[in-house]
Amino acid sequence: MEYQSQLEKLHEWVGQKLTSCPVRDGVTFHNHNEKIFKILRRRKGWYIEFSVPVPECPGLQELTDEEAKTRKLGRTRWIYRGTSEENVRKLVTTAMASIPQSRIVEPAMARDVRIVSEFTCPCLKKMEKLQNASNLPQEISQQLEEACDLLGSERYNDFIPKIGQTLKNITSHMLQENGIEPSGDLRDQLNSLIEREIISSSLKEEVEELFNRKVLERHFEDQKRAYPLALMLVSFTSKLINIGKLIKLWS
């Protein structure tokens, strides 16, 4: 199962019980400020780190405190590696069941439910910072602002093609600034930037994951299913703008 499909499944299982946000190598799921589990980006199979107890199953490794300390994994003690979607679903369900339930009743709480989460995703703040960056060309800043508005209004299906076009303009600008005529689709231009060491090669695997099957052209009937891809694109856009030589080009 592809990484994007794995994320869609996780969001389907956790519903509104947890919040999520991309990190350097995957996506973390939290209950308020407590990390519950993290999925890591892999080409094949599942790789999930749990910070709360989960039951034994094939593919699950339990670390000692010393092992976790040596590997700098913080509170992570259980790691699942495998291909069984059913095992992952059971582990995630068990992890969520261990979260203490609030006993506070709020009669005045609104009856309508947010599509993704009752909490503000940190990704929205990332977008706000990007659109306010003074070193970006005006045209791109405007596009980022429009994309941020779509993200803030939970129009993830519209956000995806919008940020895709913005990324294309960013890569075209970077190539032109380095005396290279832009050609090909977004993936081609990103690979060109990586091959010429204009941006870090650390983005190569992420480029392959995100843009190898025209994911930007997908249409999601359900906004909730578009949400994981929107998260990954926010994270990637932030990395692209802030990594390597890009800031120097526009400063």
Side-chain angles (χ1 to χ4, degrees):
M1 179 180 289
E2 294 179 4
Y3 179 65
Q4 181 191 335
S5 298
Q6 292 175 347
L7 276 178
E8 290 179 2
K9 282 292 182 182
L10 289 176
H11 281 283
E12 177 184 329
W13 296 332
V14 304
Q16 297 183 44
K17 294 181 180 179
L18 303 177
T19 57
S20 63
C21 192
V23 290
R24 179 182 57 81
D25 53 354
V27 173
T28 57
F29 288 77
H30 298 262
N31 176 46
H32 298 288
N33 293 325
E34 180 186 8
K35 176 182 172 183
I36 305 301
F37 65 87
K38 170 183 174 182
I39 178 172
L40 280 75
R41 184 182 292 104
R42 292 292 185 271
R43 290 183 180 275
K44 295 182 180 179
W46 296 81
Y47 191 115
I48 302 186
E49 299 174 346
F50 292 90
S51 300
V52 295
V54 289
E56 293 184 3
C57 74
L60 185 73
Q61 175 188 12
E62 183 173 354
L63 305 178
T64 65
D65 291 348
E66 187 60 33
E67 287 173 330
K69 182 178 180 180
T70 300
R71 296 168 63 172
K72 299 180 180 179
L73 291 177
R75 294 177 55 248
T76 294
R77 292 295 181 277
W78 298 267
I79 299 177
Y80 175 79
R81 295 184 227 185
T83 58
S84 172
E85 179 180 315
E86 182 60 23
N87 282 345
V88 174
R89 186 188 65 80
K90 289 179 180 179
L91 292 172
V92 168
T93 301
T94 303
M96 290 192 297
S98 69
I99 300 172
Q101 300 298 310
S102 173
R103 297 179 180 276
I104 299 176
V105 178
E106 301 181 45
M109 185 179 295
R111 292 182 179 275
D112 59 319
V113 179
R114 289 173 61 88
I115 292 177
V116 177
S117 169
E118 63 183 24
F119 304 104
T120 300
C121 177
C123 291
L124 186 56
K125 294 183 178 179
K126 286 183 181 179
M127 285 298 298
E128 290 172 347
K129 288 181 179 179
L130 292 180
Q131 71 178 15
N132 293 326
S134 61
N135 54 347
L136 296 177
Q138 180 60 38
E139 178 186 357
I140 293 177
S141 294
Q142 179 63 36
Q143 290 177 328
L144 287 170
E145 182 177 350
E146 293 170 0
C148 188
D149 289 341
L150 293 172
L151 189 68
S153 59
E154 299 177 348
R155 294 168 58 189
Y156 308 115
N157 213 6
D158 296 321
F159 169 82
I160 291 170
K162 184 65 180 180
I163 198 65
Q165 183 56 53
T166 305
L167 283 167
K168 180 76 176 295
N169 290 341
I170 290 173
T171 55
S172 294
H173 178 82
M174 295 176 69
L175 289 167
Q176 290 170 346
E177 287 292 309
N178 283 272
I180 305 165
E181 186 64 28
S183 63
D185 58 17
L186 175 57
R187 181 188 179 190
D188 293 333
Q189 293 190 177
L190 285 165
N191 283 330
S192 181
L193 289 168
I194 292 171
E195 290 168 3
R196 290 171 169 80
E197 299 184 346
I198 298 172
I199 61 175
S200 172
S201 60
S202 63
L203 289 178
K204 187 172 182 61
E205 183 173 342
E206 200 162 346
V207 167
E208 294 301 313
E209 288 282 355
L210 275 174
F211 308 111
N212 63 346
R213 295 196 178 181
K214 298 184 179 180
V215 292
L216 298 180
E217 298 177 12
R218 289 186 60 184
H219 178 77
F220 298 86
E221 296 296 335
D222 185 349
Q223 294 287 358
K224 187 175 180 180
R225 293 186 67 82
Y227 179 66
L229 177 57
L231 283 186
M232 289 189 285
L233 289 170
V234 171
S235 179
F236 182 82
T237 303
S238 178
K239 291 176 186 177
L240 182 62
I241 289 177
N242 291 292
I243 202 169
K245 304 175 182 177
L246 184 54
I247 294 299
K248 294 181 180 179
L249 289 175
W250 288 340
S251 60

